[in-house]
Amino acid sequence: MAILGIDLGTTNSLIGAVDSGFPILLANAEGHRSIPSAIHFPDSGDPVVGEAALRQRALSADRVVTSVKRLMGKRLAEVERDRHPYPLTADNEGYVRVALGNKGSLSPEEISALILKELKASAEAAMGTTMDRAVITVPAYFNDAQRQATKRAGGLAGLTVERIVNEPTAAALAFGLHRSKDHARIAVYDLGGGTFDISILEIHDGVFHVLSTNGDTYLGGDDIDHAISEHLWQAYQSNKFTLAEQDATLQIKFRAEAEAAKIALSEASSQLIRMPFVEADKHFEYTLTRETLDQLARPIVERTKALCLRALHDAKLKLDQLDEVLLVGGSTRMPLVRQFVTDLFQQEANTSQHPDETVAMGAVIQGGILSGTLRNIVLLDVTPLSLGIESFGGLMNVIIPRNTTIPAKAGEMFTNAVPDQTSMLVRVLQGEREMARDNWELGQVEVPFTPGPKGSARIGVQFQIDENGILEVLTRDTKTNTDTVLEVKNAAIDVDDKRVEAMISESVDHAFDDMSERVFTEAKLKSEELLPAVDQALALIGDQLDNTDRQEIQDATEAVKQALANRNATELKQANAELDDATQQLAALLMQKALADASA
Ligand code: ADP
Ligand code: MG
């Protein structure tokens, strides 16, 4: 069953799916592959989405909601209210809602759900079947609240959101960069209608890592349209027209003309703007040249420079370490922007894909990979959390660290802590905490072995994760070559993002405590080895020591016991070291005796 790929954009939204093995974008009934992310809420009747909604802007600006993506997961205090021409309010917790007069108010995700519903319906019409699973893209900088809101919007539209994908990652997929075998570092420069995002990604063996992101949620093609329409207004005024102020309707007309001219000038070098009967029987005509457009747009485009440089700096990369620069977003169709990016990054930007369709295409490809309809693409996954086993003293012993590319295989050798032990309990754990008890147990297995003195057993533990995320734990008694196998299905990579984030932030919160507990446990294990060994040696050859040496050892032994009782890690480490020092002479005597015994 195919999975839909959706670019839920600030200005425009697109949908697609894999059809007969090909990732394609699906056009709506009017033949458009992209619809404006705009919703009109009429006083009576159902909301209208897309082009038809935009047309209502001149008549009822406060009932046409655009750029709702900027409001996703945000509190009212966090948004620039004057950039939204419709009224906003807040819910009890302070989160933004859009006020719709007699119709009450709606949350940003409820409004986004209307766009998603429209996209879903047109996709179903195009494919001739119902479809209810989707991959939706979000900006890389979206936080958990914003991602959750996007997921909820999908749910409200009747979609099961299989995955939320970062827009730059989707773009890189559409450019085919997951096929780059070795290391590739790329910049994704995304200038859309209302937002600018720069992301630096690293692709390694088909796995994407976002190294850094930066941007401005109020910077894009809209600002260029605004600059052009201001320019047109000045030309208009100096043309002996009588209107002294633009009313809302005229303002919207100018904006529409400005955008159309801008788009035309991506191909043409000059464009005639004609507004007949703008004032009674008067016509307004103006020729906008590419040169004037570039002058107007340059200061806006220049604002992306500092943001790009900051992203590079955060990724700890120099310009010449970037293998590719990808252009994404409708505004990167402008020749000025292409030249600007080429100059800034000192390399020709990759323009092999339609900049306004790449993100949606990537979402479709990701959907195809998830549903298995695009089999020839192998997209490797990584382990979201570390995998390991519990070792002596209740410590977490990591065998496969987090973020390891799967499939993966790793192992370690373990021994018995207690003499004459007949078996060892292997507890398989997942998590980032230092103590086993704070991590999640995935399974356990009892491994029998031949009893012997402490440290005589040789038990190999091997973790293997296949491409489906199935973890197999193999333990082997290397003396007898007896194997025990434990299979943990899907536990290794199938953890939902929220729990992974919670685990990681917990491990950061507790890093200090956890670390001191680990240090103490390790020091305690060392004391537990040292103390009986010292006792044994004293019993054997203690009489050969002089009184000062013997006293020193006794004091050091006491200090270790005291530190153990105090549960103080630093003190214990220090005491262990001093006991080690104090027993130098004893150890030397022991060695001499062993040599003498051997030659005797
Ligand atoms: P978003 O990701 O914000 O939804 P898009 O990537 O769809 O936005 O970009 C929309 C912006 O691209 C608009 O400002 C639009 O005017 C601009 N745009 C679209 N096509 C062109 C073109 N051919 N030349 C210049 N600008 C364009
Ligand atoms: Mg976009």
Side-chain angles (χ1 to χ4, degrees), residues 7-12 69 167 190 192-193 195 197 328-330 355-356 359:
D7 171 7
L8 183 60
T10 310
T11 320
N12 298 301
K69 186 173 181 178
E167 286 165 11
D190 182 348
T195 56
D197 299 320
V328 176
D356 23 22
V359 169

Side-chain angles (χ1 to χ4, degrees), residues 37 255 269 338 359 365 438 442 588:
S37 306
R255 284 293 277 271
S269 58
R338 297 195 164 184
V359 169
I365 293 172
D438 297 320
L442 299 180

Side-chain angles (χ1 to χ4, degrees), residues 394-396 431-439 503-522 569:
L395 291 174
M396 166 77 170
E432 304 312 308
R433 302 288 300 275
E434 298 284 351
M435 303 306 294
R437 59 162 192 267
D438 297 320
N439 291 320
M503 168 57 84
I504 293 166
S505 75
E506 245 170 58
S507 78
V508 173
D509 291 348
H510 294 281
F512 199 71
D513 294 345
D514 275 11
M515 209 47 218
S516 60
E517 185 153 6
R518 172 177 280 272
V519 172
F520 178 76
T521 308
E522 281 171 355

